[in-house]
Amino acid sequence: MNKDFLLENEHLQITKSDIEIVTKEEKERLKNLPKMYASDPRLLGNLMSITATKLNNLKNSFDKPYFARIDFTSQLDKNKIVLYIGKVGVMSENGDMIVTDWRAPISSIYYDGNLGDLSYKVDEDLIYGTLELKRQIIIEKSQLINVFDVDSVSDDELLKPYLGAGADNRLKNIVASIQSEQNDIIRADINKNIIVQGVAGSGKTTVALHRIAYLVYNYSKKVNANQFMVIGPNKFFINYISTVLPDLDVGNAVQCTYEELSIEYIKEKFDIEEPTQKLIEYIYGKEIEKYSRIKTSMKYKEAIDKFLFDYEESIMPKEDFKICNCTIYTKEEVIDMYKLHVDLPNISSRVDITVKLLSNKLKLDTSKHAIIKQEFDIMNSKEASTIKWKIIKNIENGCIAELRKYLSLNNIKVLQLYKMFIQNSSKYIEFLDSDFVITTMSNIQKKLVQFEDIPAMIYIKTILYGINDYNKYVHVVIDESQDFGAFNFYVLTKLMPNSTFSIFGDITQGIYSYRGIYDWYEVKKESFNNKCEIMRLEKSYRTTIEIMQTANKISKHLNLGECKPVIRHGNDVRITKCNIEEKIRYIANLIRNSIDMGYKSIAIICKTPNESKNIYEKLKSFDFKLEYIMDDNELYNGGICILTSYLSKGLEFDCVIITDADESIYSSKNEMDMKLMYVACTRALHNLEIIYNNEIIYPFK
């Protein structure tokens, strides 16, 4: 053993001992907290939760307390510090740093810096100094395995231990292998919007989640974890990341789909058509309505703006505001008062302020009080005498209830107003045909809306009633966002005006092409008014060179550029012609071989639900434990699964078997088919098997 290894092994033993001491102290603290804070249950609960989390982190860090070491000399005081960087920071009782958290500002040196003079940022200040040592340390089950002195973390050879890991361990290891371009995104300023175009396997999802972890850690004194939100494409994805976020110490971040967010915000009784239903119909060859894309575009927003302007005009009073046949305010006076507040963000707030101002004005206007008294004196009846003082008192108090009734939205529902827009849509969108109205109205009558209708409904509610408490959010991460339109993003900026956004996606994987975007610059311009930075992840860390070269044939065919794989070779991609009778037995043999090779996650990917069900039924006769994934509400925890290519998006597997790569099934002339095939190919980490029956798709010839 060399000297460095022995020294690092000695340090590891000291660190483990220190962690045990801190753990013992925290356990004692947890035991004593109920006695110390019995009089303050809320504070007690918070402290117990914090201490329990700290204990859990200590337990998790014991087997692998750190993964790197840096030696840094500050230019200011010339002091040399030695830091060990780990997934979780550990501090002794007297405040000494045992392990530095990977999210700490100084840790960025490990990811971005090369040996020599450099600087790192703390808040707005730059700290200058010299990086004298950067060391990668491999620890497994509390045992030191290896030590590498490096100048750059991006050395492909050093990445191999992490890239070669199985699908079940990759997220757990990413903090040790974050690349410079990934680190730039993770540590990007919380106050700016970013769009990340990342190729398949570039780590978009892991970078997105680690960005949340980084922001929560560095802004913990100002922001709570529940002020961050992660929006995923489906429940399958949300289930997948829900197991990861707690491990990143951000389990309290809100996690939802776009549909769930809309239901929670709008709070009306309606159903949302399963988005994959339309996709499946498209996959089976049904022509999708041409207006699907229009509904997620900013043109639709402009049409709704015109409609809402007309609607607001229509609710203006048509008669004067009267009490006992006496005009208190003319309708012109009320409308003028209302229009003084057009800059307020929603109609409801404009109504409220108008009512309050008119009421307050009436309270102070004694001349109006006198007019009413005079009117009662003229009436001089028994009935007038009975109600006179009650009405006069009400007027002196400003007639707030009557004014609210007079100038009211009447609690109109979002779905009701959207229905009015659809009925009159020809007035606002010239190029829509009657089929648009018939189909959309038919759904609304059944209180059913499609995914494409959601942005409009969210937008209508923000204009009508405001944003409720959604202004609490400070940052939102959206993954698989290539399937959204510009209007989808815009309404989120309206709903959460105090939030910035990190948007992750890959145009090449945009399988919802009938509604998604083609160009990130369109989103930057139309959704964010150009206040957004587009960043790129162009290297694929997921797949081997052999798999990526195969997938690149498809992206090249689509004129969408090619991924740059890291230097990790593996098995050749096998493309096998197999007739229908042989196919099932051949797939079974591939599964057995994959299990023998130690693969823990194996996916059999088909194009259509019918094909996946057929394969599943036939494979059941073999001695395999199979999981048949039918929709996006299911949780996948490894093993052998059968699913469609559109459900596999965002996931990864050790081994992928594509069962039906025929030109007659995945047409090379159909953009959607090629994107589905691209998605299927790029799910594989280590091994890709492609089977066809008659004629392989054109790019693979």
Side-chain angles (χ1 to χ4, degrees):
M1 292 186 183
N2 64 35
K3 180 182 175 183
D4 289 339
F5 187 94
L6 292 172
L7 287 172
E8 292 298 352
N9 193 49
E10 182 180 343
H11 180 81
L12 176 59
Q13 305 314 313
I14 294 170
T15 301
K16 286 160 58 179
S17 177
D18 288 343
I19 291 174
E20 286 178 333
I21 292 169
V22 175
T23 301
K24 185 177 179 181
E25 291 168 347
E26 290 300 323
K27 284 181 177 179
E28 190 65 24
R29 187 194 310 277
L30 188 64
K31 180 182 175 182
N32 292 328
L33 281 174
K35 301 174 187 175
M36 297 169 62
Y37 298 96
S39 61
D40 193 339
R42 178 176 291 185
L43 179 59
L44 173 61
N46 288 338
L47 291 173
M48 289 192 73
S49 176
I50 291 168
T51 308
T53 299
K54 189 172 181 180
L55 276 168
N56 187 58
N57 288 339
L58 288 166
K59 178 183 176 183
N60 292 337
S61 66
F62 187 79
D63 281 351
K64 191 182 292 188
Y66 48 81
F67 53 81
R69 168 184 164 179
I70 56 173
D71 293 7
F72 178 75
T73 299
S74 170
Q75 188 182 85
L76 186 64
D77 57 19
K78 305 302 180 184
N79 285 335
K80 178 179 177 179
I81 56 173
V82 177
L83 297 177
Y84 286 84
I85 301 171
K87 194 172 182 180
V88 176
V90 181
M91 187 178 288
S92 70
E93 186 69 18
N94 59 12
D96 293 333
M97 190 61 70
I98 299 168
V99 179
T100 300
D101 196 293
W102 70 273
R103 297 167 290 185
I106 195 171
S107 297
S108 64
I109 293 174
Y110 171 71
Y111 299 111
D112 291 337
N114 294 324
L115 298 181
D117 294 340
L118 45 69
S119 65
Y120 67 95
K121 199 172 184 180
V122 179
D123 297 325
E124 297 304 314
D125 298 324
L126 284 175
I127 309 299
Y128 294 91
T130 304
L131 179 60
E132 298 177 5
L133 177 74
K134 180 156 67 170
R135 178 169 288 170
Q136 193 171 53
I137 300 170
I138 311 296
I139 301 169
E140 296 292 343
K141 296 180 180 179
S142 301
Q143 299 299 313
L144 183 63
I145 305 300
N146 214 337
V147 171
F148 300 97
D149 282 355
V150 297
D151 188 22
S152 172
V153 182
S154 60
D155 188 308
D156 288 338
E157 289 301 314
L158 296 173
L159 277 172
K160 282 184 180 180
Y162 303 106
L163 300 179
D168 56 336
N169 286 318
R170 285 165 57 79
L171 265 179
K172 297 174 184 176
N173 291 327
I174 186 177
V175 293
S177 58
I178 292 170
Q179 300 300 284
S180 180
E181 65 271 22
Q182 295 174 326
N183 195 47
D184 289 343
I185 293 165
I186 289 170
R187 295 173 187 262
D189 193 330
I190 192 175
N191 295 313
K192 70 177 183 180
N193 301 304
I194 61 172
I195 294 173
V196 180
Q197 163 57 35
V199 299
S202 59
K204 291 185 296 298
T205 297
T206 50
V207 169
L209 300 183
H210 283 74
R211 173 153 173 73
I212 287 278
Y214 169 79
L215 294 175
V216 169
Y217 176 86
N218 282 278
Y219 294 89
S220 60
K221 293 180 180 178
K222 300 177 182 177
V223 182
N224 294 322
N226 62 7
Q227 291 176 270
F228 292 85
M229 179 183 289
V230 180
I231 299 177
N234 51 50
K235 284 299 294 180
F236 196 1
F237 178 89
I238 295 298
N239 289 336
Y240 176 64
I241 66 166
S242 66
T243 62
V244 176
L245 286 174
D247 194 44
L248 293 174
D249 203 20
V250 286
N252 289 335
V254 176
Q255 306 152 51
C256 62
T257 64
Y258 200 85
E259 296 94 320
E260 288 173 329
L261 175 63
S262 69
I263 290 169
E264 174 63 29
Y265 169 61
I266 296 172
K267 287 184 168 56
E268 292 182 15
K269 290 184 178 180
F270 62 88
D271 293 317
I272 300 174
E273 182 181 271
E274 175 58 48
T276 55
Q277 182 175 327
K278 185 181 285 190
L279 178 63
I280 292 168
E281 290 172 353
Y282 190 32
I283 288 169
Y284 279 123
K286 181 180 177 180
E287 186 176 344
I288 300 298
E289 309 95 332
K290 58 187 177 184
Y291 51 76
S292 290
R293 178 173 295 279
I294 294 170
K295 285 184 176 180
T296 60
S297 73
M298 294 299 281
K299 289 180 181 177
Y300 206 56
K301 178 259 180 190
E302 291 164 7
I304 292 171
D305 279 335
K306 294 173 186 175
F307 164 75
L308 289 174
F309 178 84
D310 288 349
Y311 172 73
E312 192 169 9
E313 289 291 312
S314 75
I315 64 171
M316 291 296 100
K318 306 298 186 291
E319 298 177 350
D320 297 339
F321 178 66
K322 296 181 178 182
I323 299 291
C324 296
N325 294 320
C326 289
T327 297
I328 305 298
Y329 294 114
T330 66
K331 62 182 179 181
E332 289 80 13
E333 285 180 295
V334 175
I335 292 171
D336 287 345
M337 177 69 79
Y338 181 90
K339 290 191 173 179
L340 287 174
H341 308 288
V342 291
D343 290 337
L344 290 176
N346 59 79
I347 295 173
S348 178
S349 63
R350 295 196 279 274
V351 168
D352 285 346
I353 192 66
T354 302
V355 166
K356 287 175 184 177
L357 289 173
L358 290 172
S359 176
N360 289 336
K361 185 179 178 182
L362 182 56
K363 288 179 186 178
L364 301 173
D365 194 343
T366 55
S367 64
K368 291 278 197 313
H369 307 170
I371 291 171
I372 294 297
K373 288 177 183 177
Q374 186 179 0
E375 180 68 19
F376 275 110
D377 290 340
I378 293 170
M379 291 169 63
N380 194 25
S381 66
K382 185 177 180 181
E383 181 184 357
S385 178
T386 304
I387 64 172
K388 173 180 178 180
W389 298 111
K390 184 178 179 181
I391 291 176
I392 290 172
K393 188 69 175 175
N394 190 28
I395 290 171
E396 290 173 347
N397 288 332
C399 290
I400 190 80
E402 288 77 7
L403 281 166
R404 280 181 180 150
K405 186 176 180 182
Y406 170 74
L407 190 65
S408 171
L409 291 174
N410 295 318
N411 294 317
I412 189 166
K413 301 292 184 184
V414 171
L415 195 61
Q416 180 185 350
L417 200 57
Y418 187 50
K419 179 180 176 182
M420 290 168 57
F421 167 71
I422 299 298
Q423 288 171 323
N424 297 280
S425 56
S426 59
K427 181 180 176 182
Y428 305 103
I429 313 179
E430 295 178 1
F431 46 84
L432 286 179
D433 55 27
S434 59
D435 183 51
F436 165 80
V437 177
I438 293 168
T439 305
T440 309
M441 283 299 295
S442 174
N443 286 334
I444 291 176
Q445 298 286 12
K446 296 179 284 188
K447 293 193 173 181
L448 177 71
V449 299
Q450 296 181 329
F451 179 89
E452 295 90 330
D453 295 304
I454 294 175
M457 293 178 65
I458 293 176
Y459 185 62
I460 287 170
K461 179 151 187 182
T462 65
I463 300 300
L464 271 181
Y465 298 114
I467 59 176
N468 300 336
D469 61 347
Y470 284 83
N471 57 358
K472 76 173 186 179
Y473 290 102
V474 297
H475 197 76
V476 177
V477 167
I478 310 172
D479 202 7
E480 298 291 343
S481 56
Q482 69 277 352
D483 295 323
F484 287 4
F487 194 17
N488 292 88
F489 299 112
Y490 178 82
V491 297
L492 291 177
T493 68
K494 291 285 290 183
L495 181 60
M496 293 173 276
N498 295 326
S499 179
T500 48
F501 294 81
S502 293
I503 295 168
F504 293 79
D506 179 15
I507 301 294
T508 314
Q509 297 181 67
I511 62 174
Y512 292 87
S513 56
Y514 49 82
R515 75 175 194 223
I517 56 101
Y518 288 133
D519 184 359
W520 290 122
Y521 288 96
E522 174 193 350
V523 176
K524 178 180 179 179
K525 178 184 176 182
E526 297 193 348
S527 306
F528 292 97
N529 194 27
N530 286 319
K531 295 174 182 176
C532 187
E533 180 181 352
I534 296 176
M535 306 176 79
R536 298 185 184 277
L537 292 172
E538 296 181 335
K539 268 192 172 185
S540 176
Y541 301 99
R542 175 187 295 145
T543 62
T544 62
I545 288 176
E546 290 75 12
I547 294 170
M548 204 67 251
Q549 286 173 340
T550 299
N552 275 339
K553 292 178 181 178
I554 299 171
S555 57
K556 189 176 180 181
H557 176 73
L558 291 170
N559 295 316
L560 290 172
E562 299 181 48
C563 291
K564 301 173 184 176
V566 298
I567 302 172
R568 180 171 74 92
H569 284 283
N571 299 326
D572 288 336
V573 175
R574 287 198 297 185
I575 301 176
T576 306
K577 185 173 184 178
C578 211
N579 64 43
I580 295 172
E581 292 75 21
E582 296 172 339
K583 183 164 72 171
I584 297 301
R585 191 169 297 279
Y586 184 73
I587 292 171
N589 286 334
L590 290 177
I591 293 171
R592 289 192 193 95
N593 292 339
S594 299
I595 293 170
D596 290 342
M597 292 172 70
Y599 295 142
K600 295 181 179 179
S601 61
I602 302 165
I604 301 152
I605 300 181
C606 313
K607 182 186 176 185
T608 66
N610 285 350
E611 170 71 0
S612 60
K613 184 173 174 43
N614 179 48
I615 297 288
Y616 172 70
E617 292 296 336
K618 290 181 177 178
L619 280 175
K620 281 200 301 185
S621 62
F622 293 84
D623 189 23
F624 298 128
K625 185 179 179 182
L626 301 171
E627 184 173 353
Y628 177 37
I629 297 173
M630 294 178 285
D631 57 49
D632 59 20
N633 287 306
E634 298 179 51
L635 181 62
Y636 172 67
N637 287 312
I640 307 165
C641 72
I642 301 170
L643 73 169
T644 56
S645 50
Y646 60 83
L647 283 179
S648 72
K649 188 157 64 76
L651 303 177
E652 56 185 32
F653 308 91
D654 294 332
C655 174
V656 166
I657 302 167
I658 299 173
T659 66
D660 46 3
D662 287 81
E663 180 68 31
S664 60
I665 298 173
Y666 289 93
S667 172
S668 300
K669 297 177 182 178
N670 186 299
E671 180 187 1
M672 165 73 83
D673 284 353
M674 289 297 93
K675 286 184 174 181
L676 287 170
M677 177 56 74
Y678 180 85
V679 167
C681 289
T682 54
R683 300 310 94 199
L685 271 69
H686 309 302
N687 205 54
L688 175 62
E689 301 275 353
I690 300 173
I691 302 168
Y692 71 102
N693 181 24
N694 291 314
E695 183 184 5
I696 191 68
I697 62 169
Y698 175 75
F700 291 168
K701 284 186 175 180

